[in-house]
Amino acid sequence: MDIRPHPFRRTLRLRTAVAALLLLAAGAAQAAALAPFNASYRASYLGMQANGSMTLARDGNRWKYSLNIRNQVADLSQNTVFDEHQGRLRPLSSSDRSVALIKRKSVQASYDWNAGQATWSGDVKSERRGPVALQPGDMDALLINLAVVRDVADGKPLNYRMVDEGRVKAMSYEVAGREQITVAGRARQATKVVRRDDDRETLAWIVPGMPVPARILQREGGKDTIDLTLQSVN
């Protein structure tokens, strides 16, 4: 059956779909320390061209990780503030905003590690506001993707626990081999990482030495819905 969700419904899925895909970024390919970066992507979203960007910036002993995607029908921005605690990426707060046609959504999150709980506010259902009990190693969708890049380089299992928008969900990726991919006109060898969730599939190509994925692809029902190709990173 050919099911084509309303564009706004798909936009709202970006919190876990794109973020859990699109943001396989920011760790150095050889598990080096985090370093600030700015990356731009050429994107295809809902069959139309889009612009995408990812940034990582330091703020004292904290980091701010940001994602923006925009085309004619959708505008998405996500930001997560986090720190590194005992070798783990630990979310402290996040904000997510999506606009599609006349629809708008804005959600804020707070991860209180002293109290051991996470809460959400804004355009989120009452049953999704929390609190949700936190466990060591818990991350939001963005930080899981940073961990994936680092763990691929180390050859570690890619199993995580996501705590996001009032939900706790196990997330697992698998390495699907190595493939050649073209980046800025140059052929590079990349590790392909895959995650499957019901009828959705997300893939990312990670090139050694690059702080962000060279390509990110999302499929739903066997059809491509989001495709991002790295244009530049500095």
Side-chain angles (χ1 to χ4, degrees), residues 37-82:
F37 71 80
N38 291 278
S40 63
Y41 284 84
R42 183 180 71 247
S44 174
Y45 176 56
L46 298 178
M48 293 176 284
Q49 293 299 305
N51 295 317
S53 66
M54 287 184 278
T55 63
L56 181 67
R58 182 189 289 276
D59 182 11
N61 63 347
R62 297 182 175 187
W63 296 86
K64 184 178 180 180
Y65 187 31
S66 302
L67 161 70
N68 293 274
I69 302 174
R70 178 180 295 177
N71 68 7
Q72 299 96 315
V73 300
D75 186 357
L76 166 76
S77 65
Q78 300 180 11
N79 299 280
T80 295
V81 175
F82 68 96

Side-chain angles (χ1 to χ4, degrees), residues 21-36:
L21 223 201
L22 195 133
L23 298 167
L24 289 167
Q30 299 302 321
L34 293 174

Side-chain angles (χ1 to χ4, degrees), residues 16 19-20 23 26 31-32 37 48 59 68 101-102 107 134 141 170 223 231:
T16 55
L23 298 167
F37 71 80
M48 293 176 284
D59 182 11
N68 293 274
L101 302 177
I102 62 173
V107 177
L134 291 171
K223 296 184 177 181
Q231 297 297 290

Side-chain angles (χ1 to χ4, degrees), residues 8 20 44 73-74 77 87 90 92 95 126 137 168 181 184 202 223:
F8 180 59
S44 174
V73 300
S77 65
R90 186 174 66 170
L92 303 174
S95 63
S126 58
V168 176
I181 187 169
T202 59
K223 296 184 177 181

